[in-house]
PDB file of all heavy atoms in Angstrom:
ATOM      1  N   GLU A  29      -0.530  -6.678   6.198  1.00  0.00           N
ATOM      2  CA  GLU A  29       0.246  -7.571   7.069  1.00  0.00           C
ATOM      3  C   GLU A  29      -0.687  -8.642   7.597  1.00  0.00           C
ATOM      4  O   GLU A  29      -1.523  -8.391   8.460  1.00  0.00           O
ATOM      5  CB  GLU A  29       0.866  -6.784   8.228  1.00  0.00           C
ATOM      6  CG  GLU A  29       1.699  -7.635   9.167  1.00  0.00           C
ATOM      7  CD  GLU A  29       2.833  -8.364   8.436  1.00  0.00           C
ATOM      8  OE1 GLU A  29       3.877  -7.732   8.147  1.00  0.00           O
ATOM      9  OE2 GLU A  29       2.649  -9.567   8.138  1.00  0.00           O
ATOM     10  N   ARG A  30      -0.532  -9.842   7.066  1.00  0.00           N
ATOM     11  CA  ARG A  30      -1.366 -10.969   7.475  1.00  0.00           C
ATOM     12  C   ARG A  30      -0.553 -12.036   8.208  1.00  0.00           C
ATOM     13  O   ARG A  30      -1.078 -13.050   8.611  1.00  0.00           O
ATOM     14  CB  ARG A  30      -2.041 -11.578   6.251  1.00  0.00           C
ATOM     15  CG  ARG A  30      -3.002 -10.611   5.545  1.00  0.00           C
ATOM     16  CD  ARG A  30      -3.290 -11.024   4.111  1.00  0.00           C
ATOM     17  NE  ARG A  30      -2.072 -10.909   3.306  1.00  0.00           N
ATOM     18  CZ  ARG A  30      -2.015 -11.087   1.990  1.00  0.00           C
ATOM     19  NH1 ARG A  30      -3.110 -11.408   1.318  1.00  0.00           N
ATOM     20  NH2 ARG A  30      -0.859 -10.967   1.348  1.00  0.00           N
ATOM     21  N   VAL A  31       0.759 -11.807   8.283  1.00  0.00           N
ATOM     22  CA  VAL A  31       1.670 -12.789   8.878  1.00  0.00           C
ATOM     23  C   VAL A  31       1.479 -14.166   8.210  1.00  0.00           C
ATOM     24  O   VAL A  31       1.273 -15.183   8.892  1.00  0.00           O
ATOM     25  CB  VAL A  31       1.504 -12.877  10.414  1.00  0.00           C
ATOM     26  CG1 VAL A  31       2.744 -13.480  11.053  1.00  0.00           C
ATOM     27  CG2 VAL A  31       1.221 -11.515  11.030  1.00  0.00           C
ATOM     28  N   PRO A  32       1.574 -14.199   6.902  1.00  0.00           N
ATOM     29  CA  PRO A  32       1.324 -15.466   6.190  1.00  0.00           C
ATOM     30  C   PRO A  32       2.329 -16.549   6.584  1.00  0.00           C
ATOM     31  O   PRO A  32       3.536 -16.285   6.683  1.00  0.00           O
ATOM     32  CB  PRO A  32       1.475 -15.066   4.710  1.00  0.00           C
ATOM     33  CG  PRO A  32       2.302 -13.822   4.725  1.00  0.00           C
ATOM     34  CD  PRO A  32       1.948 -13.108   5.996  1.00  0.00           C
ATOM     35  N   ASN A  64      -8.536 -16.599  15.208  1.00  0.00           N
ATOM     36  CA  ASN A  64      -8.427 -15.181  14.858  1.00  0.00           C
ATOM     37  C   ASN A  64      -9.382 -14.895  13.686  1.00  0.00           C
ATOM     38  O   ASN A  64      -9.939 -15.827  13.089  1.00  0.00           O
ATOM     39  CB  ASN A  64      -6.977 -14.812  14.533  1.00  0.00           C
ATOM     40  CG  ASN A  64      -6.477 -15.466  13.275  1.00  0.00           C
ATOM     41  OD1 ASN A  64      -6.969 -16.528  12.902  1.00  0.00           O
ATOM     42  ND2 ASN A  64      -5.508 -14.852  12.628  1.00  0.00           N
ATOM     43  N   SER A  66      -9.272 -14.084  10.553  1.00  0.00           N
ATOM     44  CA  SER A  66      -9.086 -14.710   9.233  1.00  0.00           C
ATOM     45  C   SER A  66      -8.998 -16.226   9.337  1.00  0.00           C
ATOM     46  O   SER A  66      -9.056 -16.916   8.323  1.00  0.00           O
ATOM     47  CB  SER A  66      -7.812 -14.174   8.568  1.00  0.00           C
ATOM     48  OG  SER A  66      -6.670 -14.636   9.276  1.00  0.00           O
ATOM     49  N   ASP A  68      -6.366 -17.921  10.155  1.00  0.00           N
ATOM     50  CA  ASP A  68      -5.047 -18.504   9.840  1.00  0.00           C
ATOM     51  C   ASP A  68      -4.198 -18.707  11.094  1.00  0.00           C
ATOM     52  O   ASP A  68      -3.145 -19.345  11.043  1.00  0.00           O
ATOM     53  CB  ASP A  68      -4.298 -17.650   8.795  1.00  0.00           C
ATOM     54  CG  ASP A  68      -3.883 -16.277   9.328  1.00  0.00           C
ATOM     55  OD1 ASP A  68      -4.196 -15.939  10.495  1.00  0.00           O
ATOM     56  OD2 ASP A  68      -3.246 -15.532   8.555  1.00  0.00           O
ATOM     57  N   ASN A  69      -4.683 -18.139  12.221  1.00  0.00           N
ATOM     58  CA  ASN A  69      -4.022 -18.306  13.515  1.00  0.00           C
ATOM     59  C   ASN A  69      -2.568 -17.839  13.534  1.00  0.00           C
ATOM     60  O   ASN A  69      -1.735 -18.343  14.280  1.00  0.00           O
ATOM     61  CB  ASN A  69      -4.159 -19.750  14.022  1.00  0.00           C
ATOM     62  CG  ASN A  69      -5.598 -20.039  14.394  1.00  0.00           C
ATOM     63  OD1 ASN A  69      -6.297 -19.172  14.922  1.00  0.00           O
ATOM     64  ND2 ASN A  69      -6.069 -21.229  14.084  1.00  0.00           N
ATOM     65  N   THR A  70      -2.270 -16.852  12.672  1.00  0.00           N
ATOM     66  CA  THR A  70      -0.983 -16.171  12.760  1.00  0.00           C
ATOM     67  C   THR A  70      -1.251 -14.705  13.061  1.00  0.00           C
ATOM     68  O   THR A  70      -2.186 -14.112  12.522  1.00  0.00           O
ATOM     69  CB  THR A  70      -0.185 -16.276  11.458  1.00  0.00           C
ATOM     70  OG1 THR A  70      -0.904 -15.613  10.404  1.00  0.00           O
ATOM     71  CG2 THR A  70       0.076 -17.725  11.084  1.00  0.00           C
ATOM     72  N   VAL A  71      -0.437 -14.117  13.940  1.00  0.00           N
ATOM     73  CA  VAL A  71      -0.653 -12.725  14.355  1.00  0.00           C
ATOM     74  C   VAL A  71       0.678 -11.996  14.433  1.00  0.00           C
ATOM     75  O   VAL A  71       1.751 -12.618  14.467  1.00  0.00           O
ATOM     76  CB  VAL A  71      -1.356 -12.660  15.732  1.00  0.00           C
ATOM     77  CG1 VAL A  71      -2.716 -13.338  15.674  1.00  0.00           C
ATOM     78  CG2 VAL A  71      -0.492 -13.278  16.829  1.00  0.00           C
ATOM     79  N   ALA A  72       0.589 -10.658  14.467  1.00  0.00           N
ATOM     80  CA  ALA A  72       1.760  -9.815  14.716  1.00  0.00           C
ATOM     81  C   ALA A  72       1.663  -9.341  16.162  1.00  0.00           C
ATOM     82  O   ALA A  72       0.628  -8.818  16.580  1.00  0.00           O
ATOM     83  CB  ALA A  72       1.778  -8.625  13.763  1.00  0.00           C
ATOM     84  N   PHE A 225      -2.076  -8.218  16.891  1.00  0.00           N
ATOM     85  CA  PHE A 225      -2.715  -7.533  15.767  1.00  0.00           C
ATOM     86  C   PHE A 225      -2.735  -8.496  14.588  1.00  0.00           C
ATOM     87  O   PHE A 225      -1.930  -9.431  14.523  1.00  0.00           O
ATOM     88  CB  PHE A 225      -1.926  -6.271  15.375  1.00  0.00           C
ATOM     89  CG  PHE A 225      -1.937  -5.178  16.413  1.00  0.00           C
ATOM     90  CD1 PHE A 225      -1.032  -5.183  17.471  1.00  0.00           C
ATOM     91  CD2 PHE A 225      -2.864  -4.135  16.338  1.00  0.00           C
ATOM     92  CE1 PHE A 225      -1.041  -4.179  18.429  1.00  0.00           C
ATOM     93  CE2 PHE A 225      -2.874  -3.122  17.300  1.00  0.00           C
ATOM     94  CZ  PHE A 225      -1.965  -3.152  18.342  1.00  0.00           C
ATOM     95  N   ASP A 226      -3.638  -8.244  13.628  1.00  0.00           N
ATOM     96  CA  ASP A 226      -3.640  -9.090  12.421  1.00  0.00           C
ATOM     97  C   ASP A 226      -4.421  -8.394  11.311  1.00  0.00           C
ATOM     98  O   ASP A 226      -5.238  -7.506  11.562  1.00  0.00           O
ATOM     99  CB  ASP A 226      -4.261 -10.465  12.725  1.00  0.00           C
ATOM    100  CG  ASP A 226      -3.842 -11.527  11.710  1.00  0.00           C
ATOM    101  OD1 ASP A 226      -2.890 -11.292  10.939  1.00  0.00           O
ATOM    102  OD2 ASP A 226      -4.481 -12.609  11.682  1.00  0.00           O
ATOM    103  N   ASP A 227      -4.140  -8.828  10.097  1.00  0.00           N
ATOM    104  CA  ASP A 227      -4.862  -8.338   8.909  1.00  0.00           C
ATOM    105  C   ASP A 227      -4.913  -6.817   8.879  1.00  0.00           C
ATOM    106  O   ASP A 227      -5.976  -6.207   8.716  1.00  0.00           O
ATOM    107  CB  ASP A 227      -6.268  -8.953   8.849  1.00  0.00           C
ATOM    108  CG  ASP A 227      -6.189 -10.469   8.703  1.00  0.00           C
ATOM    109  OD1 ASP A 227      -5.470 -10.936   7.809  1.00  0.00           O
ATOM    110  OD2 ASP A 227      -6.829 -11.177   9.507  1.00  0.00           O
TER     111      ASP A 227
HETATM  112 CA1  LIG B 301      -2.818 -13.818  10.223  1.00  0.00          CA
END
Side-chain angles (χ1 to χ4, degrees):
E29 181 57 79
R30 297 160 294 186
V31 201
N64 67 333
S66 69
D68 68 358
N69 291 323
T70 63
V71 299
F225 293 84
D226 201 14
D227 297 309

